[in-house]
Every structure is written in C-alpha cells, then in structure tokens.
Amino acid sequence: MGSSNTMKVGAIESFINWIESKVLDDHWSFDATVGYAEHKDLFMRNEMVCAKTLYNYLYKGILGIKAIDLPLVVRHSQRKSISRKHKRELGKSIELRDPNIETREEFGHWELDTVRGTKDKTDHVLISLLERKSRLYVALRCPSARATDVKETLHAWLNTFKDVNLACLCKTITADNGLEFSEISNLENEILSIYFARHYSAWKRGSNESIMVYFVDVYRKECQ
C-alpha cells in the first residue's frame, strides 16, 4: 500500500498536473498558482491543497518538478504558523482598484516590487516596475530598502514624466504590503492612484511575479 502522501496526490492528480504546467510553462510560484485557482474556482476544495503542502511535496520528491524549477523557492521558508490578524495596511486595497485594469487593455497600470542583492536592509536594491499591458519592464537602482529611499527613488522616476502626459503613462501602481512601500502612498495625486495587494496574495500581481523569477537570479549573481 502506498504512503498517505502518495495517495493524497493521486486524489488531486488534475490539480497537481495543472500546478506543474503553470510552474514549468508559465514560471508561476506555488503561491501564485494556488491563489489564482482559488480565485477562479478552477477546482473543488477537496481537489486541491495549499501552497505549504505543495512545498512539502516538492521537498519530498513527490511532484514532477524540482526546486530548480522554482527560482523563487528561496523566498519560501519553513516558518511557524502566524496569525493573520492585525496585519499592516499601507494604503488602498487592490479590491478598490478598477476591475477593468485586469483586462490589460489600457496602458499605464504598473506592478511594483523590489529586488535585494542581500538580506541587509542597508544594501542597495532595485525597484522593479512592470506595465501590465505592454509588459514594459523598468528597474530603478535604489540606495537601500528603507521606505524613505524607495519613495524618493520612485518619486524621481515619476518626475521624468512631468514634460509629457502622466495620465497616459502612469495611472496606477500596485505593490505588496512590504515595509519598504510604507511611504509610497504619499506620492498619490489626482492622476496617480496607488494600491496594495492583500497579504498572502502574490498572484494578484502575477505579471511582476513571473518576470521576477528570471530577474532575481541574475541580479543576485551580479551582487555576489
């Protein structure tokens, strides 16, 4: 008789096959794939497992993919369960963003993230910006991951648009709830709106999530 893990995987075979396809073909993370599947109701609750279970399967060699297929696996750490209550909210929720942005038919909606060369908060970082419609990618060098430096670097980039129509080039920016973004809401004006994805919802910024798979590895190698 097979192990309970093997039996469980057999019961969710369709879900596992879909996960492996998204990881290998589209370079999505486990968190992004599970979040997307839940949001779109692609599978029944008993036909899927959470991202943490997928990582456990990965480490045990049960899946048809390896850790090397998940370049962002270094971001995932085995941590004790933490309460999701009282999480910081840095600004307007992504739930308030115009749903039409999801269609990718209009230029000017950006996804924001940071890339760190090391875990030292004082070390220089890159600010990663990806425009949703065109997939135009912009990387800005920032002195550190401190909130003030991130805000000032982003502000300087936005100022480069002042001689053209900002309303056409940068209408919204969506970031996660990382502390490095705690001051960027101050950059909002009558043209630019800034939103923050929900906690544990990296899949809601899927465009940047995908391209970061490649960029993080290259940048960290350059910093070594």
Side-chain angles (χ1 to χ4, degrees), residues 184-214:
I184 65 172
S185 286
N186 296 329
L187 300 176
E188 278 195 323
N189 53 43
E190 65 276 8
I191 297 174
L192 173 65
S193 295
I194 297 177
Y195 300 94
F196 296 87
R198 283 184 173 182
H199 299 284
Y200 311 101
S201 300
W203 59 274
K204 288 202 171 184
R205 296 179 303 111
S207 298
N208 215 350
E209 175 88 359
S210 297
I211 198 168
M212 288 278 283
V213 166
Y214 301 102

Side-chain angles (χ1 to χ4, degrees), residues 98-181:
D98 186 349
N100 290 327
I101 294 176
E102 294 295 330
T103 66
R104 302 179 186 273
E105 295 178 353
E106 182 180 56
F107 186 94
H109 303 288
W110 298 78
E111 294 180 2
L112 174 67
D113 208 337
T114 56
V115 183
R116 302 189 188 189
T118 69
K119 292 185 178 180
D120 186 351
K121 189 175 182 179
T122 62
D123 192 21
H124 63 274
V125 301
L126 289 183
I127 293 177
S128 163
L129 288 147
L130 186 71
E131 201 283 317
R132 290 179 57 84
K133 178 182 179 180
S134 65
R135 303 299 199 277
L136 174 64
Y137 186 74
V138 175
L140 308 173
R141 182 176 288 274
C142 184
S144 77
R146 293 190 178 95
T148 300
D149 286 336
V150 171
K151 182 192 71 174
E152 292 303 320
T153 301
L154 193 58
H155 187 213
W157 176 69
L158 290 169
N159 278 341
T160 64
F161 298 144
K162 63 182 180 180
D163 293 329
V164 293
N165 191 349
L166 178 62
C168 293
L169 299 178
C170 190
K171 302 174 182 179
T172 69
I173 295 176
T174 302
D176 61 30
N177 275 277
L179 285 176
E180 66 268 33
F181 301 129

Side-chain angles (χ1 to χ4, degrees), residues 16-174:
I16 293 298
N17 289 338
W18 180 79
I19 288 287
E20 292 175 349
S21 174
K22 299 304 288 184
V23 170
L24 295 174
D25 298 335
D26 299 330
H27 310 290
W28 282 23
S29 68
F30 284 157
D31 298 276
T33 51
V34 172
Y36 183 86
E38 290 178 343
H39 181 65
K40 297 295 185 179
D41 293 324
L42 299 183
F43 300 91
M44 299 291 290
R45 180 64 61 179
N46 62 351
E47 295 175 338
M48 56 189 296
V49 294
C50 66
K52 182 177 180 180
T53 299
L54 288 173
Y55 280 109
N56 289 336
Y57 288 169
L58 175 72
Y59 299 139
K60 292 177 180 178
I62 296 175
L63 302 180
I65 55 179
K66 299 178 180 179
I68 195 172
D69 298 318
L70 282 161
L72 289 183
V73 73
V74 293
R75 287 185 171 186
H76 179 82
S77 59
Q78 300 290 336
R79 296 174 295 182
K80 294 181 179 179
S81 177
I82 57 176
S83 171
R84 297 190 180 186
K85 295 181 180 179
H86 310 301
K87 294 298 179 182
R88 58 181 178 271
E89 297 295 340
L90 304 182
K92 292 186 297 188
S93 168
I94 193 174
E95 304 299 331
L96 300 176
R97 195 177 69 177
D98 186 349
N100 290 327
I101 294 176
E102 294 295 330
T103 66
R104 302 179 186 273
E105 295 178 353
E106 182 180 56
F107 186 94
H109 303 288
W110 298 78
E111 294 180 2
L112 174 67
D113 208 337
T114 56
V115 183
R116 302 189 188 189
T118 69
K119 292 185 178 180
D120 186 351
K121 189 175 182 179
T122 62
D123 192 21
H124 63 274
V125 301
L126 289 183
I127 293 177
S128 163
L129 288 147
L130 186 71
E131 201 283 317
R132 290 179 57 84
K133 178 182 179 180
S134 65
R135 303 299 199 277
L136 174 64
Y137 186 74
V138 175
L140 308 173
R141 182 176 288 274
C142 184
S144 77
R146 293 190 178 95
T148 300
D149 286 336
V150 171
K151 182 192 71 174
E152 292 303 320
T153 301
L154 193 58
H155 187 213
W157 176 69
L158 290 169
N159 278 341
T160 64
F161 298 144
K162 63 182 180 180
D163 293 329
V164 293
N165 191 349
L166 178 62
C168 293
L169 299 178
C170 190
K171 302 174 182 179
T172 69
I173 295 176
T174 302

